[in-house]
Amino acid sequence: MSLPHAILTALLEKPSSGLELTRRFDRSIGYFWSATHQQIYRELGKLEAEGHIRALPAEQPTRGQKKSYEVLPAGRAELARWTAASQDPKPYRDTMLLRLRASAVVGTEGIEADLRRHLALHQQQLTEYQNIEERDFPPGAGSPQDRLQHLVLRAGIDLETFWTQWLTHALAEFAELPGENA
């Protein structure tokens, strides 16, 4: 149920078309809640039907013109209700961890190379997040909105830092395994 809330959040930050939302998801919200172009458009239709958003009137009626959407009071109320509601953390699932566990009983062929690949991907993501932080969140107090957005980015930085450290440790353990991994 979070995609509609992610869209409401993005539209409250800035009224946008579906295409603009897709681009914004690719640059920000999508780092922690991804959605395809089709999912966003499908959800826009549902939100509009529920009376949570509306298409802004076009300056000039033209066929095929992109629609921009804004959040209506009912949409703001729904987002506020959802934000205030208590939610339990979701159980964590990670394929790499399961594959690593399975390798203990079926053999480790291919796992070390994939650990290295994952390390490179997490290092790349960490660098990207740090660049965003440097560019968009200079030291010092910002607006409450900026501070909360920075807090979300910091979660991404901290998670990527964890993964790069853990993967480095895992590869060091792999180097010490006897036999086929040495």
Side-chain angles (χ1 to χ4, degrees):
M1 202 54 189
S2 295
L3 179 56
H5 299 102
I7 291 172
L8 287 170
T9 299
L11 289 175
L12 279 169
E13 291 172 347
K14 179 182 177 197
S16 304
S17 68
L19 181 59
E20 291 166 337
L21 278 174
T22 299
R23 289 180 180 146
R24 289 175 56 211
F25 264 72
D26 289 345
R27 290 189 320 263
S28 61
I29 292 174
Y31 286 125
F32 57 90
W33 198 270
S34 62
T36 65
H37 187 71
Q38 293 82 7
Q39 289 171 315
I40 289 171
Y41 273 94
R42 189 171 36 248
E43 208 55 55
L44 284 169
K46 289 178 188 176
L47 288 167
E48 190 171 25
E50 293 168 352
H52 290 168
I53 65 171
R54 73 174 179 129
L56 293 169
E59 293 176 15
Q60 299 179 31
T62 353
R63 183 176 159 93
Q65 183 178 14
K66 65 181 180 180
K67 291 194 263 185
S68 286
Y69 296 89
E70 70 176 353
V71 177
L72 296 171
R76 181 180 283 277
E78 168 54 24
L79 187 59
R81 182 209 59 77
W82 179 77
T83 302
S86 177
Q87 292 185 354
D88 292 336
K90 299 286 183 214
Y92 183 72
R93 295 169 22 166
D94 187 277
T95 306
M96 175 53 81
L97 295 177
L98 182 58
R99 289 176 54 225
L100 192 56
R101 175 79 181 251
S103 73
V105 292
V106 298
T108 59
E109 186 174 334
I111 293 291
E112 185 176 6
D114 210 29
L115 287 169
R116 291 186 191 290
R117 187 178 71 81
H118 276 239
L119 176 59
L121 291 170
H122 284 287
Q123 287 170 329
Q124 180 182 353
Q125 190 65 63
L126 176 59
T127 299
E128 187 173 340
Y129 285 164
Q130 289 169 331
N131 289 339
I132 291 169
E133 182 179 45
E134 186 177 311
R135 180 190 71 219
D136 296 344
F137 300 100
S143 71
Q145 182 178 356
D146 288 344
R147 293 176 70 183
L148 292 175
Q149 288 175 347
H150 188 201
L151 189 59
V152 173
L153 178 62
R154 282 301 319 170
I157 290 170
D158 292 347
L159 285 169
E160 295 302 332
T161 299
F162 162 78
W163 280 114
T164 57
Q165 291 172 347
W166 182 85
L167 286 160
T168 300
H169 175 77
L171 286 164
E173 285 289 327
F174 243 81
E176 293 181 16
L177 292 177
E180 63 187 277
N181 304 310

